[in-house]
Amino acid sequence: MSDLPHPTAPRPTARATYRLAPVLRPRGAHRRLAGWLERSPRALRVFTTSERRSKERLFGCRMCGQCALPATGYACPMTCPKQLRNGPCGGVSPLGECEVYPGERCVWLIAHERAESAGRAADLARLQRPVDHRLAGTSSWVSYWLGRDEHLWTGDDGLAAPPAVHRPSVDLGLPRVRR
Ligand code: SF4
């Protein structure tokens, strides 16, 4: 059990993450950088290591390679010991404690509190597709900038607006998803 992830509260406040996230929004420079990184394996390794270190420290990131943070109040769902991507399990205690680690707060409660404080609670109702484990360890920023993670969420969840920092590729002229 000790190898399982622990629910992790992000270090930055919800307000700070929602404010800063648009800095990473795909734009020409990001797209060019991502393309160059993909052609430069050594640079991509350095970049991916930097991403891992920073996101691990800030969010407890596990480098799943398909980042759900914009839809989860920037609380990483992969820090749930069961790695659930669509909300908490049925074992959360009445006090909001994790079933696997009693005494630790369920990361999905943390996610809800953070998203709600930013007026983005509806994002948590998104139906997330299963994690593609082939992407483990890859840079989710590069995927994001190249428009490859546009379909992390299903389109039939009844929610009109995408998460705050996600925009359809048609707005950006990005290449279609490569899966
Ligand atoms: S890339 Fe995956 S593991 Fe890392 S913060 Fe995002 S959702 Fe969590």
Side-chain angles (χ1 to χ4, degrees):
M1 190 166 99
S2 58
D3 287 342
L4 296 174
H6 282 256
T8 303
R11 284 176 179 249
T13 63
R15 185 185 171 91
T17 44
Y18 277 100
R19 277 195 166 183
L20 288 174
V23 172
L24 289 174
R25 184 174 291 165
R27 49 177 62 90
H30 288 146
R31 189 181 172 197
R32 285 191 294 277
L33 172 62
W36 176 76
L37 287 167
E38 290 218 310
R39 293 189 301 276
S40 314
R42 185 177 295 181
L44 180 60
R45 273 198 299 278
V46 172
F47 182 85
T48 305
T49 299
S50 305
E51 177 180 336
R52 178 178 60 74
R53 287 187 178 151
S54 58
K55 287 173 66 180
E56 198 175 72
R57 182 170 167 73
L58 294 174
F59 304 103
C61 174
R62 317 256 319 163
M63 290 299 279
C64 71
Q66 47 227 288
C67 197
L69 292 184
T72 57
Y74 293 88
C76 174
M78 304 307 282
T79 70
C80 163
K82 300 178 185 179
Q83 302 201 322
L84 300 179
R85 299 275 281 197
N86 281 295
C89 71
V92 187
S93 82
L95 296 176
E97 293 178 346
C98 174
E99 180 180 40
V100 178
Y101 295 114
E104 297 186 26
R105 194 155 175 74
C106 170
V107 71
W108 278 103
L109 290 188
I110 296 169
H112 190 273
E113 289 164 354
R114 290 171 60 88
E116 190 172 44
S117 74
R120 299 293 310 187
D123 287 342
L124 274 76
R126 287 176 195 287
L127 188 57
Q128 303 215 24
R129 290 200 168 88
V131 175
D132 183 347
H133 291 288
R134 293 171 297 183
L135 298 176
T138 62
S139 168
S140 65
W141 285 343
V142 168
S143 291
Y144 174 42
W145 291 335
L146 292 178
R148 290 181 188 148
D149 63 357
E150 291 169 11
H151 301 292
L152 289 179
W153 303 277
T154 65
D156 53 2
D157 52 19
L159 300 171
V165 301
H166 274 257
R167 294 292 180 272
S169 63
V170 288
D171 290 343
L172 300 162
L174 295 172
R176 293 309 307 160
V177 178
R178 193 183 75 191
R179 302 286 297 178

